[in-house]
Amino acid sequence: MTMNPAFVSILTLLALVGCTNQRQTLLERTSSYVVYDMPARQVMKAAEAVLSERGYALLPSTDPMFLITPWKVSGNYDVFTHWSRVYVEGRKRPDGRFTVRAYHMAANMPARTQSLPTPETTTMTAPEEKQNIMPTVLLSTEPVLVRSARPNLRRDLELEWAIMERLDPDFAGRVKTQVDVYLAQSSSKRPGDVLE
């Protein structure tokens, strides 16, 4: 019995994708346990920089250890929109070190359930004279969520990894190396192998 080369290629691709997902999961889980021995402001500035790179603005906050973004909206308001925002919270530990926790809130809404912001105009124009200025991505205020669009809040381990990688790229590199070694060793073992 011979195997089809296309079938072998698909199996190889699926194995690689599985390893990639497993690698990413291990990296993110590692960053969730990181405690920083550096000034809190330095850690929060790195979090601000990562959020800025991802296209998020920041809302004003009275607490320098708490970052919150406005809702980022993408999609077509006539069909479906995706709303997302990020919270980053820093906490000082009793021993003087610092931890960061990031959270991502998302909601999906169908067809025109949100009142849309409109630009201010100083002249009166007929509806047919107005341009279609509807953006596909914008920052907005609080959405009016319909019952079917309950927001989902989850911890954003990928963002925590990005913050850690920005603050200490050498440590992040060592973690990546260790994860790769672990995955290479675990993939070489078979279920029937005896551990020494």
Side-chain angles (χ1 to χ4, degrees):
M1 180 177 153
T2 61
M3 288 194 150
N4 183 351
F7 181 71
V8 172
S9 298
I10 290 172
L11 286 178
T12 305
L13 181 63
L14 288 174
L16 290 175
V17 169
C19 289
T20 302
N21 289 337
Q22 189 177 16
R23 180 179 191 266
Q24 188 65 28
T25 300
L26 289 170
L27 293 174
E28 291 171 2
R29 291 285 176 205
T30 301
S31 66
S32 71
Y33 295 107
V34 169
V35 179
Y36 297 97
D37 193 16
M38 49 182 65
R41 192 67 200 136
Q42 181 182 354
V43 177
M44 295 308 288
K45 281 289 187 190
E48 287 178 24
V50 171
L51 288 172
S52 177
E53 288 171 359
R54 294 173 181 217
Y56 285 99
L58 292 176
L59 291 175
S61 174
T62 57
D63 184 354
M65 303 308 154
F66 186 73
L67 304 176
I68 185 170
T69 68
W71 287 96
K72 185 176 181 182
V73 184
S74 59
N76 182 332
Y77 285 98
D78 291 325
V79 181
F80 191 79
T81 56
H82 175 75
W83 295 69
S84 66
R85 77 182 327 169
V86 177
Y87 303 89
V88 178
E89 181 180 22
R91 293 184 187 164
K92 286 187 180 179
R93 295 167 49 105
D95 61 4
R97 296 182 299 164
F98 194 71
T99 59
V100 171
R101 298 293 177 258
Y103 300 93
H104 184 264
M105 182 180 280
N108 294 314
M109 287 190 281
R112 293 218 182 254
T113 56
Q114 169 65 26
S115 299
L116 302 174
T118 57
E120 294 182 23
T121 58
T122 55
T123 59
M124 298 295 287
T125 57
E128 62 274 359
E129 294 175 0
K130 289 184 181 180
Q131 295 178 348
N132 182 6
I133 56 171
M134 181 81 56
T136 57
V137 175
L138 69 118
L139 297 176
S140 179
T141 58
E142 293 295 320
V144 178
L145 297 175
V146 293
R147 185 176 179 152
S148 64
R150 293 189 181 132
N152 176 8
L153 181 68
R154 65 172 175 78
R155 188 152 169 205
D156 194 342
L157 297 176
E158 193 273 328
L159 180 59
E160 290 178 21
W161 171 262
I163 294 168
M164 187 205 68
E165 194 171 29
R166 176 179 279 278
L167 286 167
D168 195 347
D170 294 334
F171 176 71
R174 290 193 305 270
V175 170
K176 286 178 183 178
T177 302
Q178 288 298 313
V179 165
D180 290 340
V181 168
Y182 171 78
L183 289 175
Q185 290 175 350
S186 65
S187 67
S188 66
K189 297 198 184 298
R190 307 241 182 320
D193 290 348
V194 177
L195 298 175
E196 296 178 8

